């Protein structure tokens, strides 16, 4: 299964934020949507970074409550690992495990077209495994 299949099922909506937004602005986006990261998009519409719960926690640990007034550009992860629609689940699992992150923006032709979370990867990987198990059981049962 590839990213395009996942996006077809889950949708392509991505929560974004501007680099000049505050961390408080981000927290107010993350909490009600029950998401763990937002993509930082600059004036050109290109991905400038990503900011996750972990980035915010680190900022609060370093700066205390004053961190909530800091801008996203001061805290965001600037080197964004991304994937493409043709990327396969195994590839995503490897990237996320090695990089120790939970969100991958999906970029095609320099445009943000979706986001994949570790939860998406696990959900669709389990579906693949269950399909394989079912096929094996049918094969064994019918000889």
């Amino acid at each position: 299964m590839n990213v395009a299949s996942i996006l077809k099922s889950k949708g392509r909506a991505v929560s974004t934020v501007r680099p000049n937004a505050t961390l408080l602005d981000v927290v107010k986006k993350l909490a009600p949507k029950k998401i763990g990261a937002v993509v930082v998009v600059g004036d050109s519409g290109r991905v400038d970074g990503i900011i996750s719960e972990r980035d915010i926690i680190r900022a609060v640990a370093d700066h205390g409550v004053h961190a909530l007034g800091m801008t996203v550009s001061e805290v965001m992860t600037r080197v964004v690992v991304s994937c493409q629609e043709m990327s396969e689940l195994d590839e995503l699992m490897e990237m996320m495990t090695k990089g120790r992150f939970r969100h991958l923006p999906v970029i095609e032709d320099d445009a943000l077209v979706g986001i994949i979370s570790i939860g998406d990867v696990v959900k669709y990987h389990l579906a693949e495994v269950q399909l394989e198990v079912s096929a094996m059981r049918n094969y064994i049962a019918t000889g």
Side-chain angles (χ1 to χ4, degrees):
M1 181 173 288
N2 64 20
V3 171
S5 301
I6 295 172
L7 292 178
K8 185 176 181 182
S9 176
K10 78 168 245 175
R12 295 175 175 273
V14 182
S15 289
T16 61
V17 68
R18 299 297 228 169
N20 62 344
T22 66
L23 294 192
L24 182 58
D25 296 331
V26 174
V27 169
K28 287 181 178 180
K29 274 191 172 208
L30 296 175
K33 293 182 179 184
K34 297 180 181 174
I35 57 175
V38 293
V39 178
V40 183
V41 178
D43 293 333
S44 67
R46 288 193 170 189
V47 173
D48 283 352
I50 190 166
I51 186 155
S52 70
E53 297 163 318
R54 288 179 182 174
D55 295 319
I56 295 166
I57 293 298
R58 286 184 188 116
V60 170
D62 291 344
H63 304 283
V65 71
H66 301 292
L68 294 176
M70 295 173 71
T71 64
V72 168
S73 63
E74 294 176 271
V75 178
M76 70 184 184
T77 299
R78 294 179 184 280
V79 178
V80 179
V81 178
S82 64
C83 63
Q84 297 179 317
E85 291 187 79
M86 296 312 297
S87 300
E88 296 289 329
L89 279 183
D90 292 341
E91 181 184 350
L92 301 184
M93 286 189 291
E94 183 177 337
M95 290 167 57
M96 291 173 142
T97 301
K98 281 184 178 176
R100 298 183 53 96
F101 49 81
R102 299 175 295 172
H103 300 87
L104 277 172
V106 183
I107 299 175
E108 291 289 335
D109 299 321
D110 290 329
L112 179 65
V113 297
I115 191 163
I116 299 294
S117 73
I118 191 67
D120 299 326
V121 173
V122 169
K123 176 182 176 181
Y124 289 94
H125 180 68
L126 285 175
E128 273 187 331
V129 169
Q130 289 172 344
L131 187 62
E132 289 174 12
V133 167
S134 179
M136 289 296 268
R137 284 184 179 152
N138 286 341
Y139 176 75
I140 292 168
T142 59

